[in-house]
Amino acid sequence: MLEQGRLGTRQLTTLTFMMVVGDMMLIYPSVITSYAKQDSWICAFIGVPLGMALMAMILKLCSMHPEKNLVQMARSILGFWPGTFFSCFYLFFFIIGASTHTREVGDFMTTQIFQYTPIRIIILMFVIVIGWGVWHGLETMGRSSELLMPVVIVFIVVLAVCLLPQVDTSNLKPVSDTGVVSISQGILVSIIYPIGEVVPIMMILPYAAKQAHQTRDMLIAAGLGSLILATLVTISLLVLGAFLTQHNIYASFVLSQKISIGSFFERIEAIMASSWMISTYFKAMIYLYAFIVGCAELFKLKQYRMLVLPASILVFGLANLVSPSITFIVITVVPYWVDWDTTLGIILPGCLLLIQWLKSYRKSSVTPNNSQQ
C-alpha cells in the first residue's frame, strides 16, 4: 500500500474533529449569519444532527470498500475510466482546498497581526510546514493532532465562558423572522461547511486500523466539532449582534479582543489566532495529503513522497493566484463555494452510494436465480 503508517481510532477521531473545526473557527459565524441573520444560531444547532447524518453516509460508503481509498473506490464502482474521470474532480477539489486554506492563513496574518509582512512570506512558511507534515506520513499527523486538539477545545471553552458577562439576549430577537428560504440556506451552510469538507477523510480511512467503535467515535467527533461551531455562532450573536457578526469576517477573533476580566485577563486574541492556525494547519495538511496520495494512486506509483515537493510548490503558486484579496474571497468565492461543497460533499458521494446499492441489489437478485437453475 502507498501508506505504511496506521492510525488508531483516537488519532482518526482527532483528525476528523480538526477537519470539522478547521478554518471554520474564525469565518463560520460570519458566513452563516450572512444567510440567516439573527436566526443563524438555530440553523447551526439544527445542522449538528444533520451533519452527523451526512458523516454517517460517508462512512457507510467507505464501509462497503474498507480497504480502498476514494480513487480505488470510484474505479471499483464506476469502472476504470469513468472512475478515473470522477476522481479527477476530487483531486482538483483537494488541491484547491489546500491552496484556499493556505491563502486564508496568509490573508488573516497580514490583515490582523503582521500587517507589514508580505503575504507570500506567510504563505511560503505555511506551505513548508504542511509539506513537512505530509512528508512524515499519516501516523505522525494523527499523533500530532492528538497532542494539539486539547489546546483548541480549551480555548474555545475559555472564550465562551469569559464572554458570558457581555451576553445580551435581545440580539437574538426577533426569532424566526428571516424567512423560510434564508433559514434553509443557513441550515445547508451549517451542514456543508463543517461536514461536507471532511470528504478527504475518505483517502485516510483505508490506512486506519480497524478497531471497535471506530464509526461511533468519528460520528461523535463530527458532532462535537459542529456543536462547538454552533456555540461560537451563538456567542457571537449574543455579544456582537447579527449585523456586526455578519460584517466582521473574523468574528471569533473580534470576540477574543472583547474579553476583559479584572483588568488583567484580556487581549488574548493571539491565543485565538494560534488555536485557529492549529486547526487550519491540520485541515490544509489533510487536503494536501489526500491530493498527493490520490495522484499517486491515479498513476499507480509505488510511493507518494516524491510528489510532496512539487505538490507543495503547486499549493504555494495557487495560494497566490486563487484570489487577489480577502474581499474577493468574501464577495466572489464564498457564495459559490457552498455549491461546490454541496456537489462534492453530498451529491457525488450520494450517487456513489446509490450506484453501489443498486449493484449490490442486482447481484443479490441474480445469485438466487442462478442457484435455482
PDB file of all heavy atoms in Angstrom, residues 292-328:
ATOM      1  N   ILE A 292      -2.013  14.311  -2.796  1.00  0.00           N
ATOM      2  CA  ILE A 292      -0.781  13.606  -3.158  1.00  0.00           C
ATOM      3  C   ILE A 292      -1.016  12.098  -3.247  1.00  0.00           C
ATOM      4  O   ILE A 292      -0.611  11.449  -4.218  1.00  0.00           O
ATOM      5  CB  ILE A 292       0.328  13.939  -2.127  1.00  0.00           C
ATOM      6  CG1 ILE A 292       0.756  15.403  -2.270  1.00  0.00           C
ATOM      7  CG2 ILE A 292       1.527  13.023  -2.311  1.00  0.00           C
ATOM      8  CD1 ILE A 292       1.713  15.866  -1.207  1.00  0.00           C
ATOM      9  N   VAL A 293      -1.690  11.537  -2.252  1.00  0.00           N
ATOM     10  CA  VAL A 293      -1.962  10.095  -2.270  1.00  0.00           C
ATOM     11  C   VAL A 293      -2.904   9.755  -3.422  1.00  0.00           C
ATOM     12  O   VAL A 293      -2.752   8.705  -4.071  1.00  0.00           O
ATOM     13  CB  VAL A 293      -2.549   9.646  -0.919  1.00  0.00           C
ATOM     14  CG1 VAL A 293      -3.009   8.197  -0.975  1.00  0.00           C
ATOM     15  CG2 VAL A 293      -1.518   9.816   0.184  1.00  0.00           C
ATOM     16  N   GLY A 294      -3.875  10.624  -3.696  1.00  0.00           N
ATOM     17  CA  GLY A 294      -4.776  10.388  -4.812  1.00  0.00           C
ATOM     18  C   GLY A 294      -4.048  10.384  -6.154  1.00  0.00           C
ATOM     19  O   GLY A 294      -4.320   9.530  -7.007  1.00  0.00           O
ATOM     20  N   CYS A 295      -3.129  11.316  -6.330  1.00  0.00           N
ATOM     21  CA  CYS A 295      -2.337  11.341  -7.575  1.00  0.00           C
ATOM     22  C   CYS A 295      -1.460  10.103  -7.683  1.00  0.00           C
ATOM     23  O   CYS A 295      -1.317   9.515  -8.768  1.00  0.00           O
ATOM     24  CB  CYS A 295      -1.478  12.604  -7.622  1.00  0.00           C
ATOM     25  SG  CYS A 295      -2.389  14.125  -7.929  1.00  0.00           S
ATOM     26  N   ALA A 296      -0.848   9.704  -6.567  1.00  0.00           N
ATOM     27  CA  ALA A 296      -0.009   8.500  -6.579  1.00  0.00           C
ATOM     28  C   ALA A 296      -0.830   7.267  -6.930  1.00  0.00           C
ATOM     29  O   ALA A 296      -0.375   6.397  -7.691  1.00  0.00           O
ATOM     30  CB  ALA A 296       0.666   8.323  -5.217  1.00  0.00           C
ATOM     31  N   GLU A 297      -2.051   7.192  -6.415  1.00  0.00           N
ATOM     32  CA  GLU A 297      -2.920   6.068  -6.732  1.00  0.00           C
ATOM     33  C   GLU A 297      -3.408   6.141  -8.179  1.00  0.00           C
ATOM     34  O   GLU A 297      -3.515   5.119  -8.864  1.00  0.00           O
ATOM     35  CB  GLU A 297      -4.120   6.060  -5.778  1.00  0.00           C
ATOM     36  CG  GLU A 297      -5.078   4.903  -5.977  1.00  0.00           C
ATOM     37  CD  GLU A 297      -4.419   3.566  -5.720  1.00  0.00           C
ATOM     38  OE1 GLU A 297      -3.704   3.443  -4.712  1.00  0.00           O
ATOM     39  OE2 GLU A 297      -4.615   2.641  -6.537  1.00  0.00           O
ATOM     40  N   LEU A 298      -3.663   7.334  -8.647  1.00  0.00           N
ATOM     41  CA  LEU A 298      -4.169   7.514 -10.015  1.00  0.00           C
ATOM     42  C   LEU A 298      -3.150   7.037 -11.040  1.00  0.00           C
ATOM     43  O   LEU A 298      -3.513   6.420 -12.053  1.00  0.00           O
ATOM     44  CB  LEU A 298      -4.508   8.995 -10.236  1.00  0.00           C
ATOM     45  CG  LEU A 298      -5.465   9.330 -11.380  1.00  0.00           C
ATOM     46  CD1 LEU A 298      -6.864   8.819 -11.087  1.00  0.00           C
ATOM     47  CD2 LEU A 298      -5.508  10.842 -11.579  1.00  0.00           C
ATOM     48  N   PHE A 299      -1.886   7.308 -10.773  1.00  0.00           N
ATOM     49  CA  PHE A 299      -0.827   6.952 -11.721  1.00  0.00           C
ATOM     50  C   PHE A 299      -0.057   5.702 -11.305  1.00  0.00           C
ATOM     51  O   PHE A 299       1.020   5.414 -11.856  1.00  0.00           O
ATOM     52  CB  PHE A 299       0.134   8.128 -11.895  1.00  0.00           C
ATOM     53  CG  PHE A 299      -0.513   9.348 -12.488  1.00  0.00           C
ATOM     54  CD1 PHE A 299      -0.808  10.447 -11.696  1.00  0.00           C
ATOM     55  CD2 PHE A 299      -0.865   9.384 -13.825  1.00  0.00           C
ATOM     56  CE1 PHE A 299      -1.409  11.575 -12.233  1.00  0.00           C
ATOM     57  CE2 PHE A 299      -1.465  10.501 -14.369  1.00  0.00           C
ATOM     58  CZ  PHE A 299      -1.744  11.606 -13.569  1.00  0.00           C
ATOM     59  N   LYS A 300      -0.589   4.967 -10.325  1.00  0.00           N
ATOM     60  CA  LYS A 300      -0.024   3.686  -9.908  1.00  0.00           C
ATOM     61  C   LYS A 300       1.439   3.793  -9.470  1.00  0.00           C
ATOM     62  O   LYS A 300       2.285   2.973  -9.843  1.00  0.00           O
ATOM     63  CB  LYS A 300      -0.159   2.657 -11.037  1.00  0.00           C
ATOM     64  CG  LYS A 300      -1.587   2.354 -11.455  1.00  0.00           C
ATOM     65  CD  LYS A 300      -2.374   1.698 -10.328  1.00  0.00           C
ATOM     66  CE  LYS A 300      -3.792   1.364 -10.742  1.00  0.00           C
ATOM     67  NZ  LYS A 300      -4.573   0.760  -9.627  1.00  0.00           N
ATOM     68  N   LEU A 301       1.738   4.824  -8.676  1.00  0.00           N
ATOM     69  CA  LEU A 301       3.085   4.974  -8.141  1.00  0.00           C
ATOM     70  C   LEU A 301       3.262   4.077  -6.924  1.00  0.00           C
ATOM     71  O   LEU A 301       2.298   3.748  -6.223  1.00  0.00           O
ATOM     72  CB  LEU A 301       3.345   6.433  -7.758  1.00  0.00           C
ATOM     73  CG  LEU A 301       3.193   7.468  -8.883  1.00  0.00           C
ATOM     74  CD1 LEU A 301       3.482   8.864  -8.341  1.00  0.00           C
ATOM     75  CD2 LEU A 301       4.117   7.162 -10.053  1.00  0.00           C
ATOM     76  N   LYS A 302       4.491   3.687  -6.640  1.00  0.00           N
ATOM     77  CA  LYS A 302       4.754   2.790  -5.518  1.00  0.00           C
ATOM     78  C   LYS A 302       4.825   3.538  -4.189  1.00  0.00           C
ATOM     79  O   LYS A 302       4.614   2.941  -3.137  1.00  0.00           O
ATOM     80  CB  LYS A 302       6.053   2.019  -5.762  1.00  0.00           C
ATOM     81  CG  LYS A 302       5.949   1.025  -6.928  1.00  0.00           C
ATOM     82  CD  LYS A 302       7.226   0.233  -7.073  1.00  0.00           C
ATOM     83  CE  LYS A 302       7.106  -0.777  -8.211  1.00  0.00           C
ATOM     84  NZ  LYS A 302       8.354  -1.581  -8.382  1.00  0.00           N
ATOM     85  N   GLN A 303       5.177   4.807  -4.215  1.00  0.00           N
ATOM     86  CA  GLN A 303       5.189   5.611  -3.003  1.00  0.00           C
ATOM     87  C   GLN A 303       4.902   7.071  -3.372  1.00  0.00           C
ATOM     88  O   GLN A 303       5.108   7.486  -4.509  1.00  0.00           O
ATOM     89  CB  GLN A 303       6.521   5.468  -2.251  1.00  0.00           C
ATOM     90  CG  GLN A 303       7.725   5.799  -3.073  1.00  0.00           C
ATOM     91  CD  GLN A 303       8.249   7.208  -2.808  1.00  0.00           C
ATOM     92  OE1 GLN A 303       7.842   7.861  -1.866  1.00  0.00           O
ATOM     93  NE2 GLN A 303       9.160   7.661  -3.647  1.00  0.00           N
ATOM     94  N   TYR A 304       4.414   7.825  -2.398  1.00  0.00           N
ATOM     95  CA  TYR A 304       3.890   9.159  -2.694  1.00  0.00           C
ATOM     96  C   TYR A 304       4.841  10.291  -2.325  1.00  0.00           C
ATOM     97  O   TYR A 304       4.619  11.437  -2.721  1.00  0.00           O
ATOM     98  CB  TYR A 304       2.565   9.375  -1.954  1.00  0.00           C
ATOM     99  CG  TYR A 304       2.698   9.436  -0.452  1.00  0.00           C
ATOM    100  CD1 TYR A 304       2.958  10.642   0.204  1.00  0.00           C
ATOM    101  CD2 TYR A 304       2.559   8.298   0.340  1.00  0.00           C
ATOM    102  CE1 TYR A 304       3.081  10.712   1.576  1.00  0.00           C
ATOM    103  CE2 TYR A 304       2.676   8.357   1.707  1.00  0.00           C
ATOM    104  CZ  TYR A 304       2.937   9.568   2.327  1.00  0.00           C
ATOM    105  OH  TYR A 304       3.067   9.627   3.694  1.00  0.00           O
ATOM    106  N   ARG A 305       5.915  10.012  -1.587  1.00  0.00           N
ATOM    107  CA  ARG A 305       6.752  11.094  -1.070  1.00  0.00           C
ATOM    108  C   ARG A 305       7.439  11.893  -2.169  1.00  0.00           C
ATOM    109  O   ARG A 305       7.774  13.061  -1.962  1.00  0.00           O
ATOM    110  CB  ARG A 305       7.780  10.530  -0.088  1.00  0.00           C
ATOM    111  CG  ARG A 305       7.189  10.235   1.274  1.00  0.00           C
ATOM    112  CD  ARG A 305       8.242   9.841   2.287  1.00  0.00           C
ATOM    113  NE  ARG A 305       7.688   9.745   3.626  1.00  0.00           N
ATOM    114  CZ  ARG A 305       7.071   8.684   4.117  1.00  0.00           C
ATOM    115  NH1 ARG A 305       6.950   7.601   3.355  1.00  0.00           N
ATOM    116  NH2 ARG A 305       6.575   8.690   5.336  1.00  0.00           N
ATOM    117  N   MET A 306       7.641  11.283  -3.330  1.00  0.00           N
ATOM    118  CA  MET A 306       8.268  12.028  -4.430  1.00  0.00           C
ATOM    119  C   MET A 306       7.384  13.174  -4.929  1.00  0.00           C
ATOM    120  O   MET A 306       7.862  14.084  -5.609  1.00  0.00           O
ATOM    121  CB  MET A 306       8.574  11.073  -5.593  1.00  0.00           C
ATOM    122  CG  MET A 306       7.314  10.508  -6.253  1.00  0.00           C
ATOM    123  SD  MET A 306       7.667   9.467  -7.683  1.00  0.00           S
ATOM    124  CE  MET A 306       8.454   8.065  -6.887  1.00  0.00           C
ATOM    125  N   LEU A 307       6.085  13.135  -4.576  1.00  0.00           N
ATOM    126  CA  LEU A 307       5.162  14.172  -5.028  1.00  0.00           C
ATOM    127  C   LEU A 307       4.996  15.303  -4.015  1.00  0.00           C
ATOM    128  O   LEU A 307       4.314  16.289  -4.318  1.00  0.00           O
ATOM    129  CB  LEU A 307       3.779  13.553  -5.304  1.00  0.00           C
ATOM    130  CG  LEU A 307       3.710  12.466  -6.372  1.00  0.00           C
ATOM    131  CD1 LEU A 307       2.299  11.916  -6.468  1.00  0.00           C
ATOM    132  CD2 LEU A 307       4.158  13.006  -7.717  1.00  0.00           C
ATOM    133  N   VAL A 308       5.580  15.171  -2.827  1.00  0.00           N
ATOM    134  CA  VAL A 308       5.372  16.176  -1.784  1.00  0.00           C
ATOM    135  C   VAL A 308       5.927  17.528  -2.209  1.00  0.00           C
ATOM    136  O   VAL A 308       5.244  18.563  -2.080  1.00  0.00           O
ATOM    137  CB  VAL A 308       6.007  15.718  -0.456  1.00  0.00           C
ATOM    138  CG1 VAL A 308       5.939  16.843   0.581  1.00  0.00           C
ATOM    139  CG2 VAL A 308       5.299  14.483   0.073  1.00  0.00           C
ATOM    140  N   LEU A 309       7.156  17.569  -2.721  1.00  0.00           N
ATOM    141  CA  LEU A 309       7.763  18.845  -3.118  1.00  0.00           C
ATOM    142  C   LEU A 309       7.019  19.514  -4.269  1.00  0.00           C
ATOM    143  O   LEU A 309       6.643  20.690  -4.156  1.00  0.00           O
ATOM    144  CB  LEU A 309       9.238  18.638  -3.462  1.00  0.00           C
ATOM    145  CG  LEU A 309       9.998  19.898  -3.903  1.00  0.00           C
ATOM    146  CD1 LEU A 309       9.933  20.963  -2.816  1.00  0.00           C
ATOM    147  CD2 LEU A 309      11.444  19.560  -4.262  1.00  0.00           C
ATOM    148  N   PRO A 310       6.777  18.830  -5.394  1.00  0.00           N
ATOM    149  CA  PRO A 310       6.040  19.513  -6.473  1.00  0.00           C
ATOM    150  C   PRO A 310       4.626  19.923  -6.074  1.00  0.00           C
ATOM    151  O   PRO A 310       4.148  20.988  -6.487  1.00  0.00           O
ATOM    152  CB  PRO A 310       6.009  18.481  -7.605  1.00  0.00           C
ATOM    153  CG  PRO A 310       6.371  17.184  -6.992  1.00  0.00           C
ATOM    154  CD  PRO A 310       7.225  17.493  -5.818  1.00  0.00           C
ATOM    155  N   ALA A 311       3.952  19.095  -5.259  1.00  0.00           N
ATOM    156  CA  ALA A 311       2.602  19.463  -4.808  1.00  0.00           C
ATOM    157  C   ALA A 311       2.652  20.681  -3.896  1.00  0.00           C
ATOM    158  O   ALA A 311       1.771  21.559  -3.967  1.00  0.00           O
ATOM    159  CB  ALA A 311       1.944  18.290  -4.096  1.00  0.00           C
ATOM    160  N   SER A 312       3.657  20.774  -3.034  1.00  0.00           N
ATOM    161  CA  SER A 312       3.790  21.939  -2.149  1.00  0.00           C
ATOM    162  C   SER A 312       4.059  23.206  -2.951  1.00  0.00           C
ATOM    163  O   SER A 312       3.505  24.276  -2.654  1.00  0.00           O
ATOM    164  CB  SER A 312       4.916  21.708  -1.143  1.00  0.00           C
ATOM    165  OG  SER A 312       4.658  20.568  -0.343  1.00  0.00           O
ATOM    166  N   ILE A 313       4.894  23.087  -3.978  1.00  0.00           N
ATOM    167  CA  ILE A 313       5.154  24.246  -4.849  1.00  0.00           C
ATOM    168  C   ILE A 313       3.873  24.663  -5.574  1.00  0.00           C
ATOM    169  O   ILE A 313       3.580  25.853  -5.735  1.00  0.00           O
ATOM    170  CB  ILE A 313       6.273  23.909  -5.855  1.00  0.00           C
ATOM    171  CG1 ILE A 313       7.594  23.690  -5.117  1.00  0.00           C
ATOM    172  CG2 ILE A 313       6.421  25.019  -6.891  1.00  0.00           C
ATOM    173  CD1 ILE A 313       8.716  23.194  -6.005  1.00  0.00           C
ATOM    174  N   LEU A 314       3.082  23.669  -5.982  1.00  0.00           N
ATOM    175  CA  LEU A 314       1.804  23.963  -6.645  1.00  0.00           C
ATOM    176  C   LEU A 314       0.853  24.682  -5.692  1.00  0.00           C
ATOM    177  O   LEU A 314       0.170  25.638  -6.095  1.00  0.00           O
ATOM    178  CB  LEU A 314       1.177  22.663  -7.144  1.00  0.00           C
ATOM    179  CG  LEU A 314      -0.145  22.775  -7.916  1.00  0.00           C
ATOM    180  CD1 LEU A 314       0.021  23.626  -9.162  1.00  0.00           C
ATOM    181  CD2 LEU A 314      -0.655  21.387  -8.286  1.00  0.00           C
ATOM    182  N   VAL A 315       0.802  24.255  -4.438  1.00  0.00           N
ATOM    183  CA  VAL A 315      -0.046  24.922  -3.444  1.00  0.00           C
ATOM    184  C   VAL A 315       0.412  26.361  -3.237  1.00  0.00           C
ATOM    185  O   VAL A 315      -0.415  27.289  -3.158  1.00  0.00           O
ATOM    186  CB  VAL A 315      -0.024  24.150  -2.109  1.00  0.00           C
ATOM    187  CG1 VAL A 315      -0.671  24.970  -1.002  1.00  0.00           C
ATOM    188  CG2 VAL A 315      -0.749  22.823  -2.258  1.00  0.00           C
ATOM    189  N   PHE A 316       1.719  26.570  -3.163  1.00  0.00           N
ATOM    190  CA  PHE A 316       2.239  27.938  -2.998  1.00  0.00           C
ATOM    191  C   PHE A 316       1.813  28.825  -4.166  1.00  0.00           C
ATOM    192  O   PHE A 316       1.366  29.967  -3.964  1.00  0.00           O
ATOM    193  CB  PHE A 316       3.760  27.900  -2.891  1.00  0.00           C
ATOM    194  CG  PHE A 316       4.397  29.265  -2.857  1.00  0.00           C
ATOM    195  CD1 PHE A 316       4.344  30.030  -1.697  1.00  0.00           C
ATOM    196  CD2 PHE A 316       5.023  29.793  -3.972  1.00  0.00           C
ATOM    197  CE1 PHE A 316       4.917  31.295  -1.662  1.00  0.00           C
ATOM    198  CE2 PHE A 316       5.595  31.052  -3.950  1.00  0.00           C
ATOM    199  CZ  PHE A 316       5.541  31.808  -2.785  1.00  0.00           C
ATOM    200  N   GLY A 317       1.929  28.325  -5.385  1.00  0.00           N
ATOM    201  CA  GLY A 317       1.538  29.122  -6.542  1.00  0.00           C
ATOM    202  C   GLY A 317       0.046  29.389  -6.581  1.00  0.00           C
ATOM    203  O   GLY A 317      -0.385  30.528  -6.817  1.00  0.00           O
ATOM    204  N   LEU A 318      -0.758  28.359  -6.331  1.00  0.00           N
ATOM    205  CA  LEU A 318      -2.210  28.531  -6.380  1.00  0.00           C
ATOM    206  C   LEU A 318      -2.712  29.425  -5.258  1.00  0.00           C
ATOM    207  O   LEU A 318      -3.696  30.164  -5.440  1.00  0.00           O
ATOM    208  CB  LEU A 318      -2.901  27.165  -6.309  1.00  0.00           C
ATOM    209  CG  LEU A 318      -2.793  26.287  -7.553  1.00  0.00           C
ATOM    210  CD1 LEU A 318      -3.395  24.907  -7.289  1.00  0.00           C
ATOM    211  CD2 LEU A 318      -3.491  26.944  -8.736  1.00  0.00           C
ATOM    212  N   ALA A 319      -2.064  29.358  -4.091  1.00  0.00           N
ATOM    213  CA  ALA A 319      -2.482  30.211  -2.977  1.00  0.00           C
ATOM    214  C   ALA A 319      -2.308  31.684  -3.315  1.00  0.00           C
ATOM    215  O   ALA A 319      -3.078  32.537  -2.846  1.00  0.00           O
ATOM    216  CB  ALA A 319      -1.678  29.867  -1.723  1.00  0.00           C
ATOM    217  N   ASN A 320      -1.320  31.994  -4.139  1.00  0.00           N
ATOM    218  CA  ASN A 320      -1.128  33.379  -4.567  1.00  0.00           C
ATOM    219  C   ASN A 320      -2.048  33.768  -5.717  1.00  0.00           C
ATOM    220  O   ASN A 320      -2.276  34.957  -5.951  1.00  0.00           O
ATOM    221  CB  ASN A 320       0.332  33.594  -4.988  1.00  0.00           C
ATOM    222  CG  ASN A 320       1.283  33.644  -3.805  1.00  0.00           C
ATOM    223  OD1 ASN A 320       1.327  34.626  -3.067  1.00  0.00           O
ATOM    224  ND2 ASN A 320       2.025  32.574  -3.604  1.00  0.00           N
ATOM    225  N   LEU A 321      -2.573  32.772  -6.430  1.00  0.00           N
ATOM    226  CA  LEU A 321      -3.419  33.050  -7.591  1.00  0.00           C
ATOM    227  C   LEU A 321      -4.911  32.916  -7.315  1.00  0.00           C
ATOM    228  O   LEU A 321      -5.729  33.430  -8.084  1.00  0.00           O
ATOM    229  CB  LEU A 321      -3.052  32.104  -8.743  1.00  0.00           C
ATOM    230  CG  LEU A 321      -1.674  32.275  -9.372  1.00  0.00           C
ATOM    231  CD1 LEU A 321      -1.424  31.172 -10.397  1.00  0.00           C
ATOM    232  CD2 LEU A 321      -1.556  33.640 -10.038  1.00  0.00           C
ATOM    233  N   VAL A 322      -5.272  32.200  -6.237  1.00  0.00           N
ATOM    234  CA  VAL A 322      -6.677  31.868  -6.031  1.00  0.00           C
ATOM    235  C   VAL A 322      -7.539  33.103  -5.794  1.00  0.00           C
ATOM    236  O   VAL A 322      -8.728  33.104  -6.112  1.00  0.00           O
ATOM    237  CB  VAL A 322      -6.808  30.866  -4.853  1.00  0.00           C
ATOM    238  CG1 VAL A 322      -6.532  31.533  -3.515  1.00  0.00           C
ATOM    239  CG2 VAL A 322      -8.177  30.213  -4.857  1.00  0.00           C
ATOM    240  N   SER A 323      -6.967  34.165  -5.255  1.00  0.00           N
ATOM    241  CA  SER A 323      -7.720  35.408  -5.098  1.00  0.00           C
ATOM    242  C   SER A 323      -6.743  36.568  -4.927  1.00  0.00           C
ATOM    243  O   SER A 323      -5.670  36.394  -4.337  1.00  0.00           O
ATOM    244  CB  SER A 323      -8.658  35.339  -3.890  1.00  0.00           C
ATOM    245  OG  SER A 323      -7.927  35.462  -2.699  1.00  0.00           O
ATOM    246  N   PRO A 324      -7.111  37.745  -5.405  1.00  0.00           N
ATOM    247  CA  PRO A 324      -6.227  38.905  -5.243  1.00  0.00           C
ATOM    248  C   PRO A 324      -6.278  39.515  -3.850  1.00  0.00           C
ATOM    249  O   PRO A 324      -5.350  40.216  -3.441  1.00  0.00           O
ATOM    250  CB  PRO A 324      -6.756  39.893  -6.292  1.00  0.00           C
ATOM    251  CG  PRO A 324      -8.185  39.513  -6.473  1.00  0.00           C
ATOM    252  CD  PRO A 324      -8.261  38.026  -6.260  1.00  0.00           C
ATOM    253  N   SER A 325      -7.381  39.285  -3.113  1.00  0.00           N
ATOM    254  CA  SER A 325      -7.524  39.901  -1.795  1.00  0.00           C
ATOM    255  C   SER A 325      -8.577  39.162  -0.994  1.00  0.00           C
ATOM    256  O   SER A 325      -9.335  38.348  -1.528  1.00  0.00           O
ATOM    257  CB  SER A 325      -7.921  41.377  -1.920  1.00  0.00           C
ATOM    258  OG  SER A 325      -9.206  41.484  -2.525  1.00  0.00           O
ATOM    259  N   ILE A 326      -8.667  39.476   0.286  1.00  0.00           N
ATOM    260  CA  ILE A 326      -9.669  38.870   1.157  1.00  0.00           C
ATOM    261  C   ILE A 326     -11.065  39.298   0.742  1.00  0.00           C
ATOM    262  O   ILE A 326     -12.040  38.548   0.874  1.00  0.00           O
ATOM    263  CB  ILE A 326      -9.388  39.241   2.635  1.00  0.00           C
ATOM    264  CG1 ILE A 326     -10.371  38.529   3.571  1.00  0.00           C
ATOM    265  CG2 ILE A 326      -9.434  40.741   2.832  1.00  0.00           C
ATOM    266  CD1 ILE A 326     -10.276  37.039   3.553  1.00  0.00           C
ATOM    267  N   THR A 327     -11.193  40.511   0.208  1.00  0.00           N
ATOM    268  CA  THR A 327     -12.503  40.989  -0.245  1.00  0.00           C
ATOM    269  C   THR A 327     -13.029  40.134  -1.388  1.00  0.00           C
ATOM    270  O   THR A 327     -14.224  39.826  -1.457  1.00  0.00           O
ATOM    271  CB  THR A 327     -12.404  42.458  -0.695  1.00  0.00           C
ATOM    272  OG1 THR A 327     -11.829  43.228   0.366  1.00  0.00           O
ATOM    273  CG2 THR A 327     -13.774  43.011  -1.043  1.00  0.00           C
ATOM    274  N   PHE A 328     -12.149  39.726  -2.292  1.00  0.00           N
ATOM    275  CA  PHE A 328     -12.558  38.873  -3.415  1.00  0.00           C
ATOM    276  C   PHE A 328     -13.071  37.534  -2.906  1.00  0.00           C
ATOM    277  O   PHE A 328     -14.064  37.007  -3.418  1.00  0.00           O
ATOM    278  CB  PHE A 328     -11.363  38.663  -4.351  1.00  0.00           C
ATOM    279  CG  PHE A 328     -11.668  37.796  -5.538  1.00  0.00           C
ATOM    280  CD1 PHE A 328     -12.225  38.336  -6.683  1.00  0.00           C
ATOM    281  CD2 PHE A 328     -11.414  36.433  -5.513  1.00  0.00           C
ATOM    282  CE1 PHE A 328     -12.509  37.536  -7.783  1.00  0.00           C
ATOM    283  CE2 PHE A 328     -11.690  35.623  -6.594  1.00  0.00           C
ATOM    284  CZ  PHE A 328     -12.239  36.182  -7.744  1.00  0.00           C
TER     285      PHE A 328
END
